[in-house]
Amino acid sequence: MKILHVLDHSIPLHSGYTFRTRSILKHQHQLGWQTCHVTSPKQGHFDSDIEVVDDLAFYRTKVPKGLLTKVPGVNQLALVNPLRDRILEAIEIEKPDVIHAHSPALNGLAALKAAKIAGLPVVYEIRAFWEDAAVDHGTCKEGDLRYRLTRKMENLVVNRVDAVTTICEGLRNDLVSRGVPEEKITVIPNAVNIEQFNLITEKNSELAKQLGLEDKVVLGFLGSFYGYEGLELLVAAMPGILKQIPNAMLLLVGGGPQEQNLKTQIHSLGLQDKVIMPGRVPHADVTRYYSLVDLLVYPRKPMRLTELVTPLKPLEAMAQGKLVLASDVGGHKELIEDGNNGWLFKSGSVTELINKTVQVLDQQADWEKTIANGRKYVEDERNWGNSVANYQQVYPKLVAQNK
């Protein structure tokens, strides 16, 4: 069986977006399935019509030109037909059995148009509702015209494709509430490649000395500084935490839209000597920074995006034997059982964050058990092999129905 994947981008250009895709493709190959790949005009510049990345061939789609591409809103729809045509060209060459379109809905629309001509079934994978992400990024407001149109487009695609997959139960439940039949949706959960993560058993002494974190209790966050992550809550909690744990330090590794706001907040609270922000670090060095952190904190704010979507970072932390504390938004509650494989606190509450942080740091007797439970959870339930195996409930059924 061969699956044609329709994507916005391919590795390595947008590795954050395509980490899940790379893992899916790898494990689909291990299941004996072949894959081929088409990227949308959003990929941008390319050197060849077909490029090979990580031994995978990607059919590139040229960026369209013309008046419609310059009109805001309409310019996005102008991407659909060129992508449809490129999908059809790939189908002619590759002869796939199934088209698997990855969100956003524009990819789904193009896949549906191509599938109608080629007579193939379509699977549509949703990683997040893009209108909700746009609200956090400030490009639209919840309920405004753009938000409603994007939602309508998503509904159109979901209702017309043959099968839908989501990365978590939150997204699945939201679709069911819209009237999508439960049996049409399969959850392919976010996971980690467990073999790529070793348990961290000691701190990197050289880096600790370099950053001034020797003999400190280190709270940390490694990732992108988006508004929905709620990092300003973590900074706001530091004065209260320091009153009870004077040698506490906060390590924020990464960067993003909220970086300058966080620096301003840190300065206004007089925390310059208590918060370390080394910026983005090379991927090869990430483990060294993880090693310094006693407690990873994920204070995501309560909003549709965080209630519905599960993050990857807590799973990566658990896989490395790190302690995790997270807000009790829906996406975190799918991953973390309070007091078992991590801890939860009331989302949006600085007071609750302070109290739970101090509680966790005071209960060192529970750490070993919690670390072991976190690692076991990832090994048994949140590894990519188990996750991707769920496609065995989806593809063969569609192929059989299409004969």
Side-chain angles (χ1 to χ4, degrees):
M1 181 166 55
K2 180 179 284 190
I3 303 98
L4 187 154
H5 287 270
V6 181
L7 313 157
D8 263 359
H9 311 285
S10 74
I11 44 183
L13 289 183
H14 293 266
S15 56
Y17 176 82
T18 58
F19 173 81
R20 175 182 169 89
T21 303
R22 180 179 358 199
S23 300
I24 287 173
L25 296 178
K26 171 187 173 183
H27 287 91
Q28 285 187 348
H29 289 173
Q30 290 178 355
L31 288 170
W33 299 333
Q34 295 178 295
T35 63
C36 49
H37 325 87
V38 178
T39 55
S40 84
K42 291 183 179 180
Q43 173 73 31
H45 173 75
F46 52 87
D47 296 322
S48 174
D49 288 346
I50 302 177
E51 293 187 320
V52 177
V53 182
D54 281 5
D55 297 323
L56 301 172
F58 290 84
Y59 290 78
R60 303 302 192 196
T61 305
K62 292 181 180 179
V63 178
K65 299 178 180 179
L67 181 60
L68 289 180
T69 65
K70 305 181 188 305
V71 180
V74 178
N75 60 348
Q76 295 297 304
L77 291 174
L79 305 178
V80 173
N81 285 345
L83 179 55
R84 172 206 61 194
D85 294 342
R86 191 60 170 148
I87 293 170
L88 288 170
E89 291 171 358
I91 289 172
E92 183 66 24
I93 297 170
E94 298 286 348
K95 304 294 191 291
D97 300 290
V98 178
I99 301 176
H100 179 148
H102 300 243
S103 57
L106 293 173
N107 291 344
L109 284 175
L112 280 168
K113 288 188 172 190
K116 185 175 182 179
I117 296 171
L120 292 174
V122 178
V123 175
Y124 180 54
E125 175 182 326
I126 300 176
R127 306 176 181 192
F129 295 128
W130 284 62
E131 63 271 23
D132 293 327
V135 169
D136 181 74
H137 296 158
T139 55
C140 76
K141 296 180 179 179
E142 187 169 338
D144 70 10
L145 180 60
R146 180 175 179 181
Y147 184 96
R148 286 182 280 117
L149 287 175
T150 304
R151 187 179 176 92
K152 284 181 180 294
M153 188 185 304
E154 191 92 73
N155 288 343
L156 183 150
V157 171
V158 167
N159 286 318
R160 291 189 180 181
V161 297
D162 299 280
V164 178
T165 70
T166 67
I167 68 169
C168 58
E169 292 292 339
L171 294 172
R172 177 185 180 277
N173 293 339
D174 190 84
L175 290 174
V176 171
S177 73
R178 303 184 195 186
V180 181
E182 291 188 34
E183 61 272 15
K184 189 174 184 177
I185 309 167
T186 303
V187 176
I188 313 290
N190 265 340
V192 297
N193 292 309
I194 191 66
E195 66 277 4
Q196 295 180 358
F197 293 96
N198 296 319
L199 286 170
I200 299 173
T201 57
E202 59 183 24
K203 296 188 177 186
N204 186 296
S205 57
E206 180 182 349
L207 185 58
K209 182 177 181 180
Q210 177 186 327
L211 296 178
L213 294 176
E214 294 175 297
D215 302 318
K216 302 294 184 181
V217 176
V218 182
L219 309 176
F221 175 91
L222 290 82
S224 297
F225 300 168
Y226 290 114
Y228 59 78
E229 296 291 3
L231 296 178
E232 73 277 12
L233 296 173
L234 182 51
V235 172
M238 281 303 293
I241 293 170
L242 286 164
K243 287 180 181 179
Q244 301 179 67
I245 307 175
N247 66 332
M249 296 284 287
L250 176 58
L251 177 63
L252 300 177
V253 181
Q258 294 300 312
E259 184 171 353
Q260 188 54 53
N261 289 342
L262 290 170
K263 289 179 178 178
T264 300
Q265 181 188 15
I266 290 165
H267 182 79
S268 67
L269 293 173
L271 294 173
Q272 297 94 318
D273 296 332
K274 297 296 182 179
V275 183
I276 307 296
M277 296 180 68
R280 301 183 189 275
V281 301
H283 181 73
D285 291 339
V286 169
T287 300
R288 298 171 65 227
Y289 285 86
Y290 264 114
S291 79
L292 304 182
V293 181
D294 296 294
L295 179 64
L296 273 299
V297 185
Y298 304 97
R300 286 191 162 191
K301 297 177 182 178
M303 56 189 297
R304 271 185 57 84
L305 179 66
T306 58
E307 293 291 348
L308 298 180
V309 179
T310 54
L312 271 172
K313 293 300 181 185
L315 295 177
E316 294 177 354
M318 289 183 205
Q320 296 174 89
K322 305 304 294 185
L323 299 170
V324 299
L325 170 63
S327 60
D328 63 352
V329 295
H332 284 150
K333 288 196 289 187
E334 282 196 41
L335 306 177
I336 301 167
E337 182 183 349
D338 187 41
N340 179 35
N341 59 350
W343 292 271
L344 297 169
F345 71 93
K346 180 65 176 176
S347 61
S349 172
V350 173
T351 300
E352 291 294 324
L353 174 53
I354 293 170
N355 293 340
K356 201 61 176 268
T357 299
V358 173
Q359 175 190 328
V360 170
L361 294 175
D362 281 346
Q363 295 178 343
Q364 292 193 32
D366 296 333
W367 289 6
E368 185 176 348
K369 178 189 70 174
T370 306
I371 288 171
N373 289 343
R375 174 75 182 192
K376 188 176 189 317
Y377 172 68
V378 175
E379 289 177 343
D380 293 350
E381 299 184 40
R382 290 289 179 155
N383 67 80
W384 277 118
N386 288 349
S387 180
V388 173
N390 289 308
Y391 283 112
Q392 292 174 314
Q393 306 171 35
V394 182
Y395 295 149
K397 182 179 177 181
L398 295 181
V399 172
Q401 291 174 345
N402 197 49
K403 288 183 179 178

